[in-house]
Amino acid sequence: MTEISSMVITHAKATVEEMEDSWHGDIELVLSQLYSNELVYECAVLKTCNRVEIYVVSSKGSSVLFHYAKEMGVSAKIVEFYDHDESLRHLLRLACGLESMIIGEDQILGQIKDFFLMAKEAGTVGKVLSTAFSKAIQVGKRVRTETFINRGAVSIASAAVDLAEDILDGLNDKHILVIGTGEMGTLVTRALSHRDMHVIYLANRTYEKARDLAEELGGEAVMFDQLEKYVHAADVVISATSAPHYVLKDDLVGKVMEGRENDLLLIDIASPRDIDPAVEEIPHVILRNIDGLRVINEKNLQMRMVEAKKAEIIIDDELDLLKAQYKRQKADAIISDLYSQSHGLRHNEMEHAINKLSAYHTMGDIERKVLEDLTHAITNKILAEPTKKLRNAAEYDDDKFLDSVSRLFDIRPIKKNDEITNKS
């Protein structure tokens, strides 16, 4: 049976280093590698700063993912493999922020949308994954509308600012440097804009982006090639770029710290990391990365547990609806082929009868319309009761009955090449 299987690596079991080591290539490359497997009908991936998740539709999904994890060199200690039902529940919980390091965070919902769209554009998703991801996005929106799960600091970015406040006993009169003005950097700057501090410096390789963000949220845009100067002036540096290499190397930080006696707090929330871990050995340098945000999460956790329970109830209800939707799809696929075959046969036999009658009588539009309506009605009435039986069998998980009908009417199972033509 073709269902969803998934493999999940998250902050719950893996460190930042382990998650970095478990990922090879960009999203498009990974999608291409997975989809090239003849056993994989559909696939999608999610990659954020604290998770790597792969979803496949396959009759042998668990085996496919196990071998793929082995090829990636992923330790069995940090990976979870989920079957169809487990994958669906996990995806719904993920969209609602219940699987995030910061319970209830909003950012994950947008990330799910983006990665699903990426897979869709790559042509690697079809009806099965589209149904699951569409439902997850809808449920994520519903939970945020009907509960207060996202009240307070609910993102890695805002948690990074909270962490800085905790370590420095407040940010009053502090100089803050934010490196990166993408989505995460913007969230950091927005969180900082509500605090009372001396100045926010914004650095980005594209100066115009830093300038635009500074004008919108406050702060001072600085040239990226003057990074050393502003790191030296800062009390806190929060780095959140998408660079594939270290942005702050140990030699730059070492030079900045020469003769300096006051601490420099560096917070790295990028994936892959922006800050060379070796800087932690430099006197008066305090380095924190995503793993350090667990402390902030623990503080927020109690506040959100009541709302999380409300979210779980919504997820249970929506999961039942999703499973029922898949059951209907299972029957509908057979019903669609059954009707297609029957009406094809009806049309051919009707044309055969019209040709015979035309040898003796003139057949006009009225006569053709009468025969069309008659044969159409007979076919639909014959199929009405089987349709009910098929949908009832799907509702009660009677796969044997569905398989028997498929064999009886020679309805062949979908092959991968059929899937390719049906992708949306």
Side-chain angles (χ1 to χ4, degrees):
M1 189 173 177
T2 305
E3 294 183 330
I4 297 174
S5 298
S6 62
M7 60 173 278
V8 174
I9 304 168
T10 76
H11 61 89
K13 285 190 172 184
T15 65
V16 175
E17 294 90 340
E18 287 171 329
M19 277 186 280
E20 287 178 359
D21 291 341
S22 68
W23 184 260
H24 307 284
D26 57 21
I27 301 295
E28 289 81 4
L29 176 61
V30 174
L31 287 171
S32 176
Q33 288 174 339
L34 287 165
Y35 199 62
S36 65
N37 188 321
E38 63 181 6
L39 297 174
V40 175
Y41 296 93
E42 303 176 35
C43 61
V45 299
L46 296 172
K47 183 184 183 301
T48 71
C49 56
N50 53 22
R51 69 181 59 254
V52 173
E53 303 193 359
I54 296 176
Y55 296 81
V56 299
V57 176
S58 172
S59 58
K60 297 183 178 180
S62 58
S63 176
V64 168
L65 290 175
F66 178 79
H67 287 295
Y68 190 76
K70 192 173 181 180
E71 289 175 4
M72 292 168 67
V74 177
S75 167
K77 295 179 181 179
I78 65 170
V79 64
E80 297 277 2
F81 294 96
Y82 296 147
D83 63 18
H84 183 74
D85 287 353
E86 291 169 336
S87 295
L88 295 180
R89 178 176 289 279
H90 172 77
L91 188 56
L92 264 57
R93 285 176 53 82
L94 182 63
C96 295
L98 298 187
E99 294 288 342
S100 299
M101 182 183 293
I102 311 299
I103 298 296
E105 65 139 319
D106 287 328
Q107 193 178 6
I108 187 63
L109 186 56
Q111 291 168 331
I112 290 174
K113 292 179 186 177
D114 291 342
F115 283 111
F116 172 59
L117 180 60
M118 199 176 296
K120 196 170 183 180
E121 290 175 346
T124 64
V125 294
K127 192 170 187 178
V128 178
L129 283 180
S130 291
T131 299
F133 275 79
S134 297
K135 170 62 77 172
I137 292 167
Q138 176 236 316
V139 176
K141 291 178 180 177
R142 181 186 169 191
V143 163
R144 285 166 177 81
T145 300
E146 298 181 18
T147 74
F148 295 107
I149 191 71
N150 57 343
R151 176 175 286 179
V154 290
S155 71
I156 296 296
S158 56
V161 175
D162 288 350
L163 179 62
E165 282 193 314
D166 277 3
I167 292 175
L168 301 179
D169 294 323
L171 297 177
N172 292 346
D173 301 322
K174 295 295 190 292
H175 293 70
I176 314 291
L177 170 62
V178 179
I179 305 176
T181 57
E183 182 180 6
M184 192 73 82
T186 299
L187 290 172
V188 170
T189 307
R190 184 169 286 118
L192 285 168
S193 66
H194 301 296
R195 266 72 167 186
D196 181 20
M197 63 196 68
H198 187 68
V199 65
I200 305 171
Y201 299 120
L202 301 176
N204 194 69
R205 289 195 180 277
T206 306
Y207 175 76
E208 289 74 19
K209 290 184 178 180
R211 182 194 60 202
D212 292 344
L213 186 60
E215 290 175 355
E216 178 188 352
L217 298 175
E220 178 183 336
V222 301
M223 301 296 289
F224 200 82
D225 58 9
Q226 294 183 319
L227 205 56
E228 181 181 325
K229 172 184 174 182
Y230 289 96
V231 172
H232 186 275
D235 299 292
V236 181
V237 177
I238 301 178
S239 196
T241 79
S242 56
H245 50 72
Y246 294 139
V247 173
L248 287 184
K249 298 182 179 179
D250 62 336
D251 57 347
L252 184 148
V253 177
K255 188 175 179 181
V256 164
M257 297 304 293
E258 287 177 2
R260 177 167 169 162
E261 295 184 358
N262 59 310
D263 290 342
L264 173 62
L265 173 59
L266 305 176
I267 301 179
D268 188 351
I269 57 173
S271 178
R273 287 171 292 175
D274 276 346
I275 304 175
D276 188 341
V279 304
E280 200 164 15
E281 303 300 321
I282 301 171
H284 299 294
V285 171
I286 303 170
L287 174 63
R288 296 289 183 270
N289 58 29
I290 291 168
D291 291 335
L293 300 182
R294 299 176 196 273
V295 176
I296 299 299
N297 185 43
E298 289 171 4
K299 291 185 177 180
N300 291 328
L301 190 58
Q302 292 303 318
M303 179 180 68
R304 296 199 176 91
M305 285 311 296
V306 173
E307 299 305 312
K309 289 179 181 178
K310 296 177 185 177
E312 292 282 12
I313 293 172
I314 293 174
I315 289 170
D316 286 342
D317 291 342
E318 293 284 0
L319 185 59
D320 288 341
L321 293 174
L322 179 56
K323 290 179 180 178
Q325 187 176 352
Y326 276 122
K327 289 178 181 179
R328 288 193 299 272
Q329 288 180 1
K330 193 188 300 182
D332 287 346
I334 298 174
I335 292 167
S336 176
D337 280 354
L338 189 57
Y339 271 77
S340 179
Q341 284 186 15
S342 299
H343 278 288
L345 179 62
R346 173 195 68 79
H347 178 77
N348 291 338
E349 292 302 318
M350 184 191 74
E351 290 297 328
H352 185 60
I354 288 174
N355 289 336
K356 281 187 175 181
L357 289 171
S358 295
Y360 302 99
H361 307 282
T362 299
M363 298 293 291
D365 291 341
I366 292 176
E367 288 82 3
R368 289 187 68 92
K369 181 71 164 58
V370 169
L371 285 172
E372 176 75 32
D373 291 346
L374 173 65
T375 57
H376 196 278
I378 290 173
T379 302
N380 282 352
K381 286 181 179 179
I382 290 173
L383 294 177
E385 192 59 31
T387 297
K388 291 180 183 178
K389 296 293 186 185
L390 284 165
R391 286 180 173 154
N392 187 65
E395 182 179 352
Y396 290 97
D397 295 319
D398 191 349
D399 289 335
K400 288 185 178 179
F401 181 80
L402 297 176
D403 291 340
S404 296
V405 172
S406 296
R407 290 196 299 273
L408 181 64
F409 290 95
D410 194 27
I411 296 173
R412 63 191 179 90
I414 295 176
K415 302 295 183 183
K416 180 161 183 175
N417 288 338
D418 300 326
E419 276 288 299
I420 293 173
T421 60
N422 292 328
K423 287 191 174 75
S424 58

